[in-house]
Coordinates of all heavy atoms in Angstrom, one line a residue:
F302 N 25.5 8.8 -40.8 CA 26.1 8.6 -39.4 C 25.1 9.2 -38.4 O 24.9 8.6 -37.3 CB 27.4 9.3 -39.3 CG 28.6 8.6 -40.1 CD1 29.7 9.3 -40.5 CD2 28.5 7.2 -40.3 CE1 30.7 8.6 -41.2 CE2 29.5 6.5 -41.0 CZ 30.6 7.2 -41.4
I303 N 24.6 10.3 -38.7 CA 23.6 10.9 -37.7 C 22.4 10.0 -37.5 O 22.0 9.8 -36.4 CB 23.2 12.3 -38.2 CG1 24.4 13.3 -38.2 CG2 22.0 12.8 -37.4 CD1 24.1 14.7 -38.8
L304 N 21.9 9.5 -38.6 CA 20.7 8.6 -38.5 C 21.1 7.3 -37.7 O 20.3 6.8 -36.9 CB 20.2 8.2 -39.9 CG 19.5 9.3 -40.7 CD1 19.2 8.8 -42.1 CD2 18.3 9.7 -39.9
M305 N 22.3 6.8 -37.9 CA 22.8 5.6 -37.2 C 22.9 5.9 -35.7 O 22.5 5.1 -34.8 CB 24.1 5.1 -37.7 CG 24.0 4.5 -39.1 SD 25.7 4.0 -39.7 CE 26.1 2.8 -38.5
I306 N 23.4 7.1 -35.3 CA 23.6 7.4 -33.9 C 22.2 7.6 -33.3 O 22.0 7.1 -32.2 CB 24.4 8.8 -33.8 CG1 25.8 8.5 -34.2 CG2 24.3 9.3 -32.4 CD1 26.7 9.8 -34.3
V307 N 21.3 8.3 -34.0 CA 19.9 8.4 -33.5 C 19.3 7.1 -33.3 O 18.6 6.8 -32.2 CB 19.1 9.3 -34.4 CG1 17.6 9.3 -34.0 CG2 19.6 10.7 -34.4
A308 N 19.4 6.2 -34.2 CA 18.8 4.8 -34.1 C 19.4 4.1 -33.0 O 18.7 3.4 -32.2 CB 19.0 4.0 -35.4
L309 N 20.7 4.2 -32.7 CA 21.3 3.5 -31.6 C 20.9 4.0 -30.3 O 20.6 3.3 -29.3 CB 22.9 3.6 -31.7 CG 23.5 2.7 -32.8 CD1 25.0 3.1 -32.9 CD2 23.3 1.3 -32.5
I310 N 20.8 5.3 -30.2 CA 20.3 6.0 -28.9 C 18.9 5.5 -28.7 O 18.5 5.2 -27.5 CB 20.4 7.5 -29.0 CG1 21.9 7.9 -29.0 CG2 19.7 8.2 -27.8 CD1 22.1 9.4 -29.2
Y311 N 18.0 5.5 -29.7 CA 16.7 5.1 -29.5 C 16.6 3.6 -29.1 O 15.8 3.3 -28.2 CB 15.9 5.3 -30.8 CG 14.5 4.7 -30.8 CD1 13.5 5.5 -30.2 CD2 14.2 3.5 -31.3 CE1 12.2 5.0 -30.1 CE2 12.9 3.0 -31.3 CZ 11.9 3.7 -30.7 OH 10.6 3.2 -30.6
A312 N 17.4 2.8 -29.7 CA 17.4 1.4 -29.4 C 17.8 1.1 -27.9 O 17.1 0.4 -27.2 CB 18.3 0.6 -30.3
V313 N 18.8 1.8 -27.5 CA 19.3 1.7 -26.1 C 18.2 2.2 -25.1 O 17.9 1.6 -24.1 CB 20.6 2.4 -25.9 CG1 21.0 2.4 -24.4 CG2 21.7 1.7 -26.7
S314 N 17.7 3.4 -25.4 CA 16.7 4.0 -24.6 C 15.4 3.1 -24.5 O 14.8 2.9 -23.4 CB 16.3 5.4 -25.1 OG 17.4 6.2 -25.1
A315 N 15.0 2.6 -25.6 CA 13.8 1.7 -25.6 C 14.0 0.5 -24.8 O 13.1 0.0 -24.1 CB 13.4 1.4 -27.1
T316 N 15.2 -0.1 -25.0 CA 15.5 -1.4 -24.2 C 15.5 -1.1 -22.7 O 15.0 -1.8 -21.9 CB 16.9 -1.9 -24.6 OG1 16.8 -2.2 -26.0 CG2 17.2 -3.2 -23.9
A317 N 16.2 0.1 -22.3 CA 16.3 0.4 -20.9 C 14.9 0.7 -20.4 O 14.5 0.3 -19.2 CB 17.1 1.7 -20.7
M318 N 14.0 1.4 -21.2 CA 12.7 1.6 -20.7 C 11.8 0.4 -20.6 O 11.1 0.2 -19.6 CB 12.0 2.6 -21.7 CG 10.6 3.0 -21.2 SD 10.6 3.9 -19.7 CE 11.3 5.5 -20.2
D319 N 12.0 -0.6 -21.5 CA 11.3 -1.9 -21.4 C 11.7 -2.6 -20.1 O 10.9 -3.2 -19.4 CB 11.6 -2.7 -22.6 CG 10.9 -2.2 -23.8 OD1 9.9 -1.4 -23.7 OD2 11.3 -2.6 -25.0
I320 N 13.0 -2.6 -19.8 CA 13.5 -3.3 -18.6 C 12.9 -2.6 -17.4 O 12.4 -3.3 -16.4 CB 15.0 -3.3 -18.6 CG1 15.6 -4.2 -19.8 CG2 15.5 -3.9 -17.3 CD1 17.1 -4.2 -19.9
A321 N 13.0 -1.3 -17.3 CA 12.5 -0.5 -16.2 C 11.0 -0.7 -16.0 O 10.5 -0.9 -14.9 CB 12.8 0.9 -16.3
T322 N 10.3 -0.7 -17.1 CA 8.8 -1.0 -17.1 C 8.5 -2.3 -16.5 O 7.6 -2.5 -15.7 CB 8.2 -0.8 -18.4 OG1 8.4 0.6 -18.9 CG2 6.7 -1.0 -18.4
G323 N 9.3 -3.3 -17.0 CA 9.1 -4.7 -16.5 C 9.3 -4.8 -15.0 O 8.5 -5.4 -14.2
Q324 N 10.3 -4.1 -14.5 CA 10.6 -4.1 -13.0 C 9.5 -3.4 -12.3 O 9.0 -3.9 -11.2 CB 11.9 -3.4 -12.8 CG 13.2 -4.1 -13.2 CD 14.4 -3.4 -12.9 OE1 14.4 -2.2 -12.6 NE2 15.6 -4.1 -13.0
A325 N 9.0 -2.3 -12.8 CA 7.9 -1.6 -12.2 C 6.6 -2.4 -12.1 O 5.9 -2.4 -11.1 CB 7.6 -0.2 -12.9
V326 N 6.3 -3.1 -13.2 CA 5.1 -4.0 -13.3 C 5.2 -5.1 -12.2 O 4.2 -5.3 -11.5 CB 5.0 -4.6 -14.7 CG1 3.9 -5.7 -14.7 CG2 4.6 -3.5 -15.7
D327 N 6.3 -5.7 -12.1 CA 6.5 -6.8 -11.1 C 6.3 -6.2 -9.7 O 5.7 -6.9 -8.9 CB 7.9 -7.5 -11.3 CG 8.0 -8.2 -12.6 OD1 7.0 -8.6 -13.2 OD2 9.2 -8.5 -13.0
A328 N 6.9 -5.1 -9.5 CA 6.8 -4.5 -8.1 C 5.4 -4.1 -7.8 O 4.9 -4.3 -6.7 CB 7.7 -3.3 -8.0
L329 N 4.7 -3.5 -8.8 CA 3.3 -3.1 -8.6 C 2.4 -4.3 -8.3 O 1.6 -4.3 -7.4 CB 2.8 -2.4 -9.8 CG 3.3 -1.0 -10.1 CD1 2.9 -0.5 -11.4 CD2 2.9 0.0 -9.0
L330 N 2.5 -5.4 -9.1 CA 1.7 -6.6 -8.8 C 2.0 -7.2 -7.5 O 1.1 -7.7 -6.8 CB 2.0 -7.6 -9.9 CG 1.3 -7.3 -11.3 CD1 1.8 -8.3 -12.3 CD2 -0.2 -7.3 -11.2
R331 N 3.3 -7.2 -7.1 CA 3.7 -7.8 -5.8 C 3.1 -7.0 -4.7 O 2.4 -7.5 -3.8 CB 5.2 -7.8 -5.7 CG 5.7 -8.4 -4.3 CD 7.2 -8.1 -4.1 NE 7.4 -6.7 -4.0 CZ 8.2 -6.0 -4.8 NH1 8.8 -6.6 -5.8 NH2 8.4 -4.7 -4.5
D332 N 3.2 -5.7 -4.7 CA 2.7 -4.8 -3.6 C 1.2 -4.8 -3.5 O 0.6 -4.9 -2.5 CB 3.2 -3.4 -3.7 CG 4.7 -3.3 -3.4 OD1 5.3 -4.3 -3.0 OD2 5.3 -2.2 -3.6
A333 N 0.5 -4.8 -4.7 CA -0.9 -4.8 -4.8 C -1.5 -6.1 -4.3 O -2.5 -6.2 -3.6 CB -1.4 -4.5 -6.2
S334 N -0.8 -7.2 -4.6 CA -1.3 -8.6 -4.2 C -1.2 -8.7 -2.7 O -2.1 -9.2 -2.0 CB -0.5 -9.7 -4.9 OG -0.7 -9.6 -6.3
N335 N 0.0 -8.2 -2.1 CA 0.1 -8.2 -0.7 C -0.9 -7.3 0.0 O -1.4 -7.6 1.1 CB 1.6 -7.8 -0.3 CG 2.6 -8.8 -0.7 OD1 2.3 -9.9 -1.0 ND2 3.8 -8.3 -0.9
G336 N -1.2 -6.2 -0.6 CA -2.2 -5.3 -0.1 C -3.5 -5.9 -0.1 O -4.3 -5.7 0.9
A337 N -3.9 -6.6 -1.1 CA -5.2 -7.3 -1.2 C -5.3 -8.3 -0.1 O -6.4 -8.5 0.5 CB -5.4 -7.9 -2.6
E338 N -4.2 -9.1 0.2 CA -4.3 -10.0 1.3 C -4.4 -9.3 2.6 O -5.2 -9.8 3.5 CB -3.0 -10.9 1.3 CG -2.8 -11.8 0.1 CD -1.6 -12.6 0.1 OE1 -0.8 -12.5 1.2 OE2 -1.3 -13.3 -0.8
G339 N -3.8 -8.2 2.8 CA -3.9 -7.4 4.0 C -5.3 -6.9 4.2 O -5.9 -6.9 5.3
V340 N -6.0 -6.5 3.1 CA -7.4 -6.0 3.2 C -8.3 -7.2 3.6 O -9.2 -7.0 4.5 CB -7.8 -5.4 1.9 CG1 -9.3 -5.1 1.9 CG2 -7.1 -4.1 1.6
W341 N -8.1 -8.3 3.1 CA -8.9 -9.5 3.4 C -8.7 -9.8 4.9 O -9.6 -10.2 5.6 CB -8.6 -10.7 2.6 CG -9.2 -12.0 3.1 CD1 -8.6 -13.1 3.5 CD2 -10.6 -12.2 3.2 NE1 -9.5 -14.0 3.9 CE2 -10.8 -13.5 3.8 CE3 -11.8 -11.4 3.0 CZ2 -12.0 -14.0 4.0 CZ3 -13.0 -12.0 3.3 CH2 -13.1 -13.3 3.8
Q342 N -7.5 -9.7 5.4 CA -7.2 -10.0 6.8 C -7.9 -9.0 7.7 O -8.5 -9.3 8.8 CB -5.7 -10.0 7.1 CG -4.9 -11.1 6.5 CD -3.4 -11.0 6.7 OE1 -3.0 -10.1 7.4 NE2 -2.7 -11.9 6.2
F343 N -8.0 -7.7 7.2 CA -8.7 -6.7 8.0 C -10.2 -7.0 8.0 O -10.8 -7.0 9.1 CB -8.5 -5.3 7.3 CG -9.6 -4.3 7.6 CD1 -9.6 -3.7 8.8 CD2 -10.6 -4.0 6.7 CE1 -10.6 -2.7 9.1 CE2 -11.6 -3.1 7.0 CZ -11.6 -2.4 8.2
I344 N -10.8 -7.5 6.9 CA -12.2 -7.8 6.9 C -12.5 -9.0 7.8 O -13.5 -9.1 8.6 CB -12.7 -8.0 5.5 CG1 -12.6 -6.7 4.6 CG2 -14.1 -8.6 5.5 CD1 -13.5 -5.6 5.1
S345 N -11.7 -10.1 7.6 CA -11.9 -11.3 8.4 C -11.7 -11.1 9.8 O -12.4 -11.7 10.7 CB -11.0 -12.4 7.8 OG -9.7 -12.1 8.0
T346 N -10.8 -10.2 10.2 CA -10.6 -9.9 11.6 C -11.8 -9.2 12.2 O -12.3 -9.5 13.3 CB -9.3 -9.0 11.8 OG1 -8.2 -9.7 11.3 CG2 -9.2 -8.6 13.3
G347 N -12.4 -8.3 11.5 CA -13.6 -7.6 11.9 C -14.7 -8.5 12.1 O -15.5 -8.4 13.1
Q348 N -14.9 -9.4 11.1 CA -16.0 -10.4 11.2 C -15.9 -11.3 12.4 O -16.8 -11.6 13.1 CB -16.1 -11.2 9.9 CG -16.6 -10.3 8.7 CD -16.5 -11.1 7.4 OE1 -15.8 -12.1 7.3 NE2 -17.2 -10.6 6.4
S349 N -14.6 -11.7 12.6 CA -14.4 -12.6 13.8 C -14.6 -11.9 15.1 O -15.2 -12.5 16.0 CB -12.9 -13.2 13.7 OG -12.6 -14.0 14.8
L350 N -14.1 -10.7 15.2 CA -14.3 -10.0 16.5 C -15.7 -9.6 16.8 O -16.2 -9.8 17.9 CB -13.5 -8.6 16.4 CG -12.0 -8.8 16.5 CD1 -11.3 -7.4 16.3 CD2 -11.5 -9.4 17.8
I351 N -16.5 -9.2 15.8 CA -17.9 -8.8 16.0 C -18.7 -10.0 16.4 O -19.6 -10.0 17.3 CB -18.5 -8.1 14.8 CG1 -19.8 -7.3 15.2 CG2 -18.8 -9.1 13.7 CD1 -19.5 -6.1 16.1
R352 N -18.4 -11.2 15.8 CA -19.1 -12.4 16.2 C -18.7 -12.8 17.6 O -19.6 -13.2 18.4 CB -18.7 -13.6 15.2 CG -19.2 -14.9 15.6 CD -20.7 -15.0 15.6 NE -21.2 -15.3 14.2 CZ -22.4 -15.4 13.8 NH1 -23.4 -15.2 14.7 NH2 -22.8 -15.6 12.6
Q353 N -17.5 -12.7 18.0 CA -17.1 -13.1 19.4 C -17.7 -12.1 20.4 O -18.2 -12.6 21.4 CB -15.5 -13.0 19.4 CG -15.0 -13.2 20.8 CD -13.5 -13.1 20.9 OE1 -12.8 -13.0 19.8 NE2 -12.9 -13.0 22.1
F354 N -17.7 -10.8 20.1 CA -18.2 -9.8 21.0 C -19.7 -10.0 21.2 O -20.3 -9.8 22.3 CB -17.9 -8.4 20.6 CG -16.4 -8.1 20.5 CD1 -16.0 -7.0 19.8 CD2 -15.5 -8.9 21.2 CE1 -14.6 -6.7 19.8 CE2 -14.1 -8.6 21.2 CZ -13.7 -7.5 20.4
A355 N -20.4 -10.4 20.1 CA -21.9 -10.4 20.2 C -22.4 -11.7 21.0 O -23.6 -11.8 21.2 CB -22.4 -10.5 18.8
G356 N -21.5 -12.6 21.4 CA -21.9 -13.8 22.1 C -21.9 -13.6 23.6 O -22.0 -14.6 24.3
E357 N -21.6 -12.4 24.1 CA -21.5 -12.2 25.6 C -22.9 -11.9 26.2 O -23.6 -11.0 25.8 CB -20.6 -11.0 25.9 CG -19.2 -11.2 25.4 CD -18.4 -12.3 26.1 OE1 -18.9 -12.8 27.2 OE2 -17.4 -12.8 25.5
P358 N -23.4 -12.7 27.1 CA -24.7 -12.6 27.7 C -25.0 -11.2 28.4 O -26.1 -10.8 28.5 CB -24.8 -13.7 28.7 CG -23.8 -14.7 28.3 CD -22.7 -13.9 27.7
E359 N -23.9 -10.6 28.8 CA -24.1 -9.3 29.5 C -24.8 -8.3 28.6 O -25.4 -7.3 29.1 CB -22.8 -8.7 30.0 CG -22.2 -9.5 31.1 CD -21.1 -10.5 30.6 OE1 -21.4 -11.0 29.5 OE2 -20.1 -10.7 31.3
L360 N -24.7 -8.4 27.3 CA -25.2 -7.4 26.3 C -26.7 -7.4 26.3 O -27.3 -6.4 26.0 CB -24.6 -7.7 24.9 CG -23.1 -7.7 24.8 CD1 -22.7 -7.9 23.3 CD2 -22.5 -6.4 25.3

Side-chain angles (χ1 to χ4, degrees):
F302 288 153
I303 293 175
L304 289 176
M305 290 177 61
I306 293 173
V307 171
L309 288 174
I310 293 175
Y311 174 79
V313 172
S314 301
T316 302
M318 185 61 74
D319 288 342
I320 295 174
T322 300
Q324 291 180 344
V326 168
D327 293 340
L329 289 171
L330 285 173
R331 181 191 66 241
D332 289 353
S334 298
N335 293 338
E338 292 180 6
V340 171
W341 170 243
Q342 291 176 4
F343 159 77
I344 295 297
S345 60
T346 299
Q348 293 174 339
S349 176
L350 288 175
I351 198 69
R352 172 67 82 182
Q353 177 183 346
F354 296 162
E357 301 293 342
E359 293 97 324
L360 300 184

